[in-house]
Amino acid sequence: MATASDSPTGTRAAPLAGSPAGSLRPVTEDEFPRWARMIADTYGADRTEAELADQRAATDLARTLAAFDGTEPVAGASLYPRQLTVPGAILPVAGVASVGVAPTHRRRGLLTAMMRAQLTALHEQGGEPLAALRPTEGGIYGRYGYGPATQGNRLRCDRRALRFRPDTDFGDGEVGLLDAARARPLLARVYDRARRTRPGWPDRQECHWRVRLADHPHRRGAATALRYAVHLAADGSPTGYALYRHRPATDASGEPSGLVEVAELAALDRRSYAALWRFLAGLDLMAWIEYEGALDEALPHLLAEPRAVRQAPVDRLWVRLADLPRALAGRRYTLPLDLVLEVEDEFCPWNQGRYRLVAEEAGAACERTRDPAELRLTAAELGAAFLGGTTLAALAAAGRVEELRPGALARASAAFRGEREPWYPGGWAFPLY
């Protein structure tokens, strides 16, 4: 186990028993390009100089980790500080990204060692109470106490069948196509207002926008460059946007069968949301529109034929409570609650034990207690339920939450639930840094 001085911000590397890498430590400026390219290679990707520059701008080297075999990096991970909207509040979160182990050095405990070092550092240095990541495989991170807290909703829309209900209110604003330079400040204004109301949305600084809007030709495939559709209200203020690409194609008979790939859509009200979808539905010579939104996406309810939208959920953001009492006290709850939790957390033993969670309209408190437990669960279940999506009742039905006092489960499950489904914008394509 890593000690405080072994952490990503410490001065001494953590010995890694049985590994030819010998130690974990932050990377230096000179090592960063090789480290980043090694990690990209584990995902079958390359990194151009421009992409490396964007990633470097978002990376605090002191919060990176690397294992080396001689002078070559063979494993790496990093933490990226963000602000994450949670039910009723905004909390600091350590975004876990740039995680990879070279195929030549797998099954040696390197990933486990890096995960342990990250979480230990957060605990011992009083860092962010939450960690969050988007795993490439769902079965990897549960053993480290992460739980699936948001789901993306993959929408595949038959564009020609997107007929809106006659009572749909599109407002009196307009959608216009702007170039990147004109759109960029308007996107940021809309996003910053929208993200404060939806659990699962992180903040975005300039370095994050650079990554989000990077439009490298080698990553487009056969698709076009990014388009920027911005909705302006009658007074000229921006109230929504859609980022999309065309992917033209024809079927065997020569009829258009291409699609519109919507990379991101944000709207501040229902009228601008409806107007943006009317604009997308009007893009000619495309048969389909694909978009990853929220589980409670409003689009099907705007349509005369809701079956024009096919929906498929997929897990996205996984959450880990690094400091359990701070995290649980930091969010708000939909019902008053006085609940004693017994939490099992072998990977982060400082979290293990019994806690009394008291939630009122003015806020919440969470402290250790010796009182009898009413619910028993692991840290992974708390991570899954933390953003208000995955319910404690559903986890109990799977045998992953145990009710120790009758009635405690129903009330706790309702109190943890959010008003809207949590959702991470950007789907798979947008990294947490």
Side-chain angles (χ1 to χ4, degrees):
M1 180 181 295
T3 65
S5 59
D6 300 328
S7 68
T9 56
T11 58
R12 186 164 55 87
L16 204 60
S19 168
S23 63
L24 289 175
R25 63 169 175 81
V27 296
T28 66
E29 192 71 53
D30 290 343
E31 293 165 339
F32 177 83
R34 286 185 294 135
W35 174 85
R37 285 195 167 104
M38 177 275 299
I39 293 170
D41 185 62
T42 68
Y43 296 94
D46 296 321
R47 283 285 184 269
T48 65
E49 291 299 323
E51 289 172 308
L52 283 175
D54 287 346
Q55 184 176 352
R56 177 64 188 90
T59 302
D60 179 355
L61 295 183
R63 303 197 79 177
T64 63
L65 277 177
F68 290 83
D69 192 347
T71 61
E72 288 303 310
V74 294
S78 191
L79 295 179
Y80 298 86
R82 305 293 296 270
Q83 298 288 317
L84 186 71
T85 301
V86 303
I90 296 175
L91 289 181
V93 60
V96 181
S98 302
V99 180
V101 177
T104 55
H105 287 72
R106 290 179 180 157
R107 298 175 183 84
R108 304 189 189 189
L110 289 169
L111 178 59
T112 296
M114 291 190 297
M115 295 295 103
R116 195 181 300 282
Q118 285 183 336
L119 292 167
T120 300
L122 292 177
H123 166 62
E124 295 184 346
Q125 298 171 14
E128 294 89 350
L130 298 174
L133 52 77
R134 293 180 302 105
T136 52
E137 297 178 45
I140 296 176
Y141 290 94
R143 62 181 181 265
Y144 306 130
Y146 287 86
T150 76
Q151 291 192 70
N153 188 6
R154 290 177 171 170
L155 307 182
R156 184 171 173 84
C157 311
D158 184 345
R159 188 192 66 81
R160 294 165 182 165
L162 292 184
R163 296 184 300 276
F164 293 88
R165 291 166 52 97
D167 57 352
T168 302
D169 185 356
F170 298 103
D172 52 4
E174 294 184 355
V175 176
L177 282 172
L178 306 181
D179 60 32
R182 292 173 59 202
R184 166 68 181 81
L186 304 181
L187 306 184
R189 285 171 59 185
V190 171
Y191 181 89
D192 195 56
R193 288 182 60 190
R195 63 110 177 167
R196 297 173 184 274
T197 64
R198 193 69 182 249
W201 285 43
D203 68 328
R204 283 186 188 162
Q205 304 302 319
E206 177 59 31
C207 59
H208 307 131
W209 277 108
R210 282 176 58 186
V211 174
R212 185 69 186 106
L213 300 180
D215 200 17
H216 304 292
H218 72 283
R219 297 207 175 275
R220 298 177 197 156
T224 66
L226 202 60
R227 273 46 170 172
Y228 303 83
V230 178
H231 183 271
L232 300 176
D235 63 2
S237 61
T239 55
Y241 64 82
L243 310 178
Y244 69 94
R245 306 177 190 278
H246 295 282
R247 189 175 292 276
T250 55
D251 60 21
S253 64
E255 289 295 313
S257 61
L259 60 88
V260 177
E261 297 176 348
V262 181
E264 184 168 298
L265 188 149
L268 299 182
D269 56 58
R270 59 184 176 85
R271 295 176 179 87
S272 55
Y273 177 88
L276 285 165
W277 274 109
R278 180 176 62 177
F279 169 82
L280 294 169
L283 295 173
D284 292 333
L285 303 180
M286 296 289 126
W288 302 95
I289 302 173
E290 290 188 349
Y291 169 62
E292 186 173 304
L295 281 185
D296 57 355
E297 198 68 35
L299 175 62
H301 305 291
L302 295 175
L303 303 176
E305 176 49 86
R307 292 184 182 180
V309 178
R310 305 173 188 175
Q311 305 182 59
V314 58
D315 67 282
R316 278 296 176 246
L317 201 65
W318 288 50
V319 167
R320 212 295 178 200
L321 277 59
D323 185 325
L324 187 148
R326 273 204 296 146
L328 290 181
R331 58 155 289 178
R332 299 297 176 261
Y333 299 84
T334 56
L335 296 173
L337 194 63
D338 188 343
L339 177 73
V340 177
L341 299 166
E342 185 172 320
V343 181
E344 299 174 4
D345 195 345
E346 293 183 3
F347 200 74
C348 295
W350 56 85
N351 282 332
Q352 188 134 326
R354 237 175 262 169
Y355 296 86
R356 179 178 290 278
L357 173 61
V358 178
E360 300 172 340
E361 185 175 351
C366 184
E367 298 178 348
R368 287 192 177 272
T369 183
R370 294 183 178 180
D371 292 342
E374 298 166 279
L375 290 183
R376 181 183 293 127
L377 70 173
T378 75
E381 279 70 66
L382 281 176
F386 187 78
L387 293 181
T390 306
T391 67
L392 293 172
L395 294 168
R400 295 174 56 186
V401 175
E402 182 181 0
E403 184 179 48
L404 304 175
R405 181 178 66 80
L409 175 63
R411 188 161 189 83
S413 188
F416 270 77
R417 192 83 166 108
E419 292 183 7
R420 296 288 306 275
E421 289 288 341
W423 166 48
Y424 178 76
W428 179 247
F430 183 45
L432 279 170
Y433 58 81

